[in-house]
Amino acid sequence: MLSIQNLHKAYSSQTVLDQVSLELPQGQVLAVLGRSGCGKTTLLKAVAGLFPTDAGSINWAGKSMGAVPPREREMVYLFQEPLLFPHLTVFENIAYGLRVRKEADAEVQQKVQQMLQELELQEHAQKKSSQLSGGQRQRVAFGRAIIFLPRVLLLDEPFASLDAHTRANMQTLFLRLARKYGITALFVTHDVKEALLVGDQFAYMAAGKLQLYTSREAFIEDPQTGVRDELAFWNTIDQKITYQP
Ligand SMILES: Nc1ncnc2c1ncn2[C@@H]1O[C@H](COP(=O)(O)OP(=O)(O)OP(=O)(O)O)[C@@H](O)[C@H]1O
């Protein structure tokens, strides 16, 4: 269980995280919807330990993460532009975390081959990142992050720069692997449909405050999330398309 209590962060007079609290059971995905500048990235980076907060606590399985340095938190922050090692092949990028942990070569080979298959990247295994498309790079970053089963995946609009088709493929892939590997994730997005698709639980962030919903229906029904407006818009389009005078 990831448990966050009353997290607070301000930059001079601007409050960016305002008493943020949440509880996320292991293996669940919390979709966090919010407009630009509401504090979503700040929340993820705070959980990853990339900067200190002013107040509040972050616990994993009852253990405080407060004094745990970022690399020991086993919480991986993934953002829009995947950061891959340019000098390494796809295979070695995915293997990186296992090599750092000094896993036996036979085990690394087996795990990476399986991950390449999951990601449908087998034929690209020996390419460098500059030889990949944006969607392929994002898949490599994703595989590299989940291969050593982090405690929490922190996804910051990970598919925002991809075209609609690739994005839909990535969402499906994320869902499949999240279920298979029991991934616990905070998934930040400004896309209503994406939030509805990937989330087991739902939250909306505005001006540093995080509102949690007890159900998908409650999330859809709250006017501030804009979900109803978007669904109504797609219904209108649908009627226009099917309208026969
Ligand atoms: N290092 C910083 N110094 C001062 N203000 C900052 C700093 N980092 C972020 N902010 C401010 O905090 C607020 C929240 O930023 P944050 O990056 O968390 O937003 P966001 O919800 O992720 O936005 P977006 O969707 O555009 O990425 C913004 O108003 C931003 O200007």
Side-chain angles (χ1 to χ4, degrees), residues 33-227:
L33 185 69
R35 298 210 182 115
S36 186
C38 70
K40 305 183 299 296
T41 299
T42 305
L43 172 62
L44 295 191
K45 288 189 174 170
V47 175
L50 298 177
F51 54 67
T53 49
D54 305 325
S57 63
I58 300 165
N59 289 275
W60 173 259
K63 182 177 177 244
S64 170
M65 292 285 116
V68 180
R71 66 179 179 286
E72 287 170 30
R73 286 195 188 192
E74 297 183 27
M75 295 181 179
V76 178
Y77 176 69
L78 264 185
F79 60 117
Q80 245 182 57
E81 292 306 325
L83 287 180
L84 302 178
F85 298 112
H87 60 291
L88 296 181
T89 60
V90 165
F91 186 102
E92 287 303 328
N93 263 287
I94 294 177
Y96 184 77
L98 305 175
R99 301 260 193 237
V100 168
R101 286 182 173 188
K102 305 210 180 318
E103 289 206 12
D105 192 54
E107 204 149 319
V108 173
Q109 293 290 336
Q110 186 262 322
K111 286 184 183 171
V112 176
Q113 287 300 351
Q114 189 185 337
M115 187 56 71
L116 285 166
Q117 211 171 334
E118 308 263 29
L119 300 165
E120 293 175 13
L121 283 172
Q122 303 98 308
E123 65 199 79
H124 305 288
Q126 294 312 317
K127 285 186 180 171
K128 303 271 175 67
S129 68
S130 60
Q131 298 168 306
L132 301 173
S133 72
Q136 289 165 343
R137 273 202 293 277
Q138 194 55 280
R139 273 187 274 161
V140 176
F142 191 48
R144 191 178 62 178
I146 62 172
I147 199 162
F148 66 97
L149 302 177
R151 289 167 171 154
V152 182
L153 255 192
L154 303 159
L155 300 119
D156 198 349
E157 300 184 26
F159 312 139
S161 64
L162 305 176
D163 66 80
H165 179 74
T166 310
R167 186 177 184 142
N169 283 343
M170 287 300 294
Q171 289 163 344
T172 312
L173 178 75
F174 169 75
L175 274 178
R176 188 164 54 75
L177 295 185
R179 296 285 173 264
K180 177 167 179 185
Y181 289 94
I183 290 172
T184 311
L186 294 186
F187 193 119
V188 154
T189 179
H190 56 255
D191 181 327
V192 165
K193 282 187 290 176
E194 186 164 78
L196 285 171
L197 190 71
V198 301
D200 299 302
Q201 296 198 32
F202 302 91
Y204 183 75
M205 197 159 191
K209 286 190 196 299
L210 190 75
Q211 159 105 44
L212 293 160
Y213 298 89
T214 50
S215 67
R216 177 183 295 261
E217 290 69 31
F219 175 67
I220 292 172
E221 285 308 313
D222 184 352
Q224 72 168 340
T225 62
V227 178

